[in-house]
Amino acid sequence: MGTSHRLTGVSDAADLAPATIAVTAGRPPREPGQPLSTPPMLASVLHAHPADVGGADNLEYSREGNASFAAVEQVIGALEHGSALTFASGMAAVSASVAVAVRGRPGLVQPLDGYHGTRVLLAEATGLHVVDVDVTDTRAALDALPDGGALWVESPTNPLIGVPDIAALAEGVAAKGGLLVVDSTVATPVCTRPLDLGADLVVHSVTKYLSGHSDVILGAVVTRDEGLLQALLHHRTIHGAVPGPMNAFLAARGIRTLEVRMRTAMATAQVLAERLQAHPAVRRVHYPGLPDDPGHEVAGRQMSGGYGALMSFVLADAAVADAFSEALGLVVHATSLGGVETSLERRGRQHGEAHIDPGLVRMSVGIEDVDDVWADLERALAVATR
Ligand SMILES: *Cc1c(COP(=O)(O)O)cnc(C)c1O
């Protein structure tokens, strides 16, 4: 059974920009006859090696690793300046991170507006004392953290699009001998590289922007800690939450265009946020690209590539938000985020969280023409407030 895993993608890609890494990392060797991209490797069993010499280079069974996982792991690791492991879903990545690095600690601090599945898992699976905080309040987050505890943040948070100050949090967590996990699904490595800011683990739902086409479920964990990497690999092999090779292949293909998709979506998001903010039916817009947003200053330092493509805005009440969602013709009314299509949902409809305004709509901005999207939003706002 192979349990070793090479650190990949750090030395060769550290000075390249995300757009270049997204295109070049995780390719087969540049040799005559080699394909340009790694094809889906659908075999579960490979011919055995003569001696028991398992390891990343001597895979014999695809639950331990697979050429298709390795390709997407190399590109994600290179983008995040660490080493990546992929999992069957974002939640499988969250679950493995919790099992390997969080469970057994003296306490856990999590965002009040965290991803619902993660909140449920952290509550059910850790047996820890879990404290909810506003993670954009660095002092509150660190005050709540016991020595040796784990701080779990999302960057930006969802659906309130708060921007935690990762560098300041990392410094405080390190001083307490704790662990900082950053779920960077919404920022993507185009905007933020949490490991460079001092995070111990980065978690991704690759399902979202990295894959980008709403057709893949996949997760990843990235770290620079070789011990954590080996423990995560052991967990994946034993618990079995490996990605499917086709999903790994599709994710790697999606990542090739990550930077151009993000750049277009972020430019559109900025325009839509400004137009929504000026619209009389909109009570408030949460988007760190707006100069008066509470996250603007931290995001300016931390989100070097841009302010992301996720925002939320508040309409009069739940009934208006529902009427608005139903009146849309181009923008998709759906949960999830990060696809090429602009989609939105009224968050209270899903989980009815007390701290979320019932009129709050979360919107994942895609890559359609900005004026076409705006025309749809404006028309639906008019119908809903008629
Ligand atoms: C979607 C999501 C997850 C879970 O990922 P899946 O791929 O759906 O399992 C975790 N964290 C965040 C921030 C997400 O958006």
Side-chain angles (χ1 to χ4, degrees):
M1 297 277 281
T3 49
S4 77
H5 190 87
R6 262 179 319 161
L7 287 165
T8 51
V10 181
S11 57
D12 50 333
D15 347 323
L16 299 175
T20 311
I21 297 171
V23 171
T24 56
R27 299 277 191 186
R30 295 166 70 112
E31 288 164 13
Q34 288 280 346
L36 259 72
S37 40
T38 306
M41 226 297 276
L42 293 167
S44 57
V45 188
L46 289 75
H47 287 288
H49 289 266
D52 181 18
V53 287
D57 297 327
N58 296 310
L59 292 170
E60 296 181 0
Y61 190 56
S62 281
R63 183 159 38 73
E64 301 164 356
N66 168 293
S68 301
F69 316 167
V72 69
E73 286 164 0
Q74 278 170 26
V75 66
I76 294 173
L79 282 166
E80 286 288 6
H81 295 171
S83 296
L85 274 179
T86 48
F87 289 83
S89 64
M91 284 311 300
V94 169
S95 174
S97 305
V98 166
V100 162
V102 175
R103 197 174 286 152
R105 289 184 177 266
L108 171 72
V109 176
Q110 69 173 1
L112 187 59
D113 61 331
Y115 183 72
H116 181 72
T118 303
R119 287 179 58 83
V120 172
L121 185 135
L122 292 173
E124 287 179 358
T126 61
L128 293 183
H129 179 59
V130 182
V131 181
D132 289 330
V133 295
D134 171 1
V135 293
T136 67
D137 183 341
T138 300
R139 171 162 308 207
L142 292 174
D143 283 351
L145 187 75
D147 283 344
L151 175 59
W152 190 286
V153 304
E154 292 179 20
S155 175
T157 65
N158 168 15
L160 296 180
I161 328 293
V163 186
D165 186 340
I166 297 171
L169 290 168
E171 204 182 314
V173 170
K176 289 193 169 192
L179 177 92
L180 177 61
V181 185
V182 177
D183 181 334
S184 199
T185 298
V186 174
T188 82
V190 170
C191 298
T192 307
R193 282 147 152 154
L195 297 177
D196 287 351
L197 301 171
D200 298 294
L201 285 179
V202 175
V203 171
H204 278 289
S205 172
V206 180
T207 308
K208 312 293 168 52
Y209 295 102
L210 292 176
S211 292
H213 296 76
S214 306
D215 53 10
V216 170
I217 297 272
L218 201 89
V221 186
V222 199
T223 184
R224 289 179 187 164
D225 182 317
E226 178 67 26
L228 278 177
L229 188 72
Q230 295 307 332
L232 287 161
L233 177 62
H234 176 78
H235 186 278
R236 186 181 73 176
T237 299
I238 296 306
H239 290 253
V242 283
M246 272 311 287
N247 278 359
F249 168 79
L250 287 170
R253 191 167 74 161
I255 289 170
R256 300 293 178 219
T257 56
L258 172 67
E259 204 270 351
V260 283
R261 284 186 285 106
M262 286 303 290
R263 191 143 35 93
T264 299
M266 291 191 290
T268 300
Q270 183 71 37
V271 172
L272 296 179
E274 288 166 8
R275 292 182 184 173
L276 285 166
Q277 195 175 39
H279 195 285
V282 177
R283 281 162 48 209
R284 171 152 189 204
V285 179
H286 300 270
Y287 182 64
L290 294 172
D292 58 352
D293 187 87
H296 186 67
E297 189 262 326
V298 174
R301 276 187 272 130
Q302 176 170 295
M303 301 182 78
S304 53
Y307 297 106
L310 193 69
M311 70 176 71
S312 53
F313 51 95
V314 184
L315 303 180
D317 54 33
V320 169
D322 283 339
F324 164 72
S325 306
E326 275 166 35
L328 294 163
L330 184 151
V331 174
V332 180
H333 182 203
T335 192
S336 198
L337 54 102
V340 290
E341 61 287 327
T342 300
S343 67
L344 55 73
E345 70 167 338
R346 182 171 74 78
R347 275 302 296 250
R349 194 182 62 89
Q350 285 261 348
H351 310 301
E353 300 120 313
H355 60 286
I356 304 298
D357 192 302
L360 184 131
V361 173
R362 187 198 65 196
M363 180 162 72
S364 168
V365 177
I367 61 171
E368 307 92 335
D369 178 80
V370 59
D371 291 319
D372 288 338
V373 177
W374 175 247
D376 195 38
L377 295 176
E378 203 179 27
R379 198 187 43 76
L381 283 170
V383 170
T385 54
R386 184 158 60 198

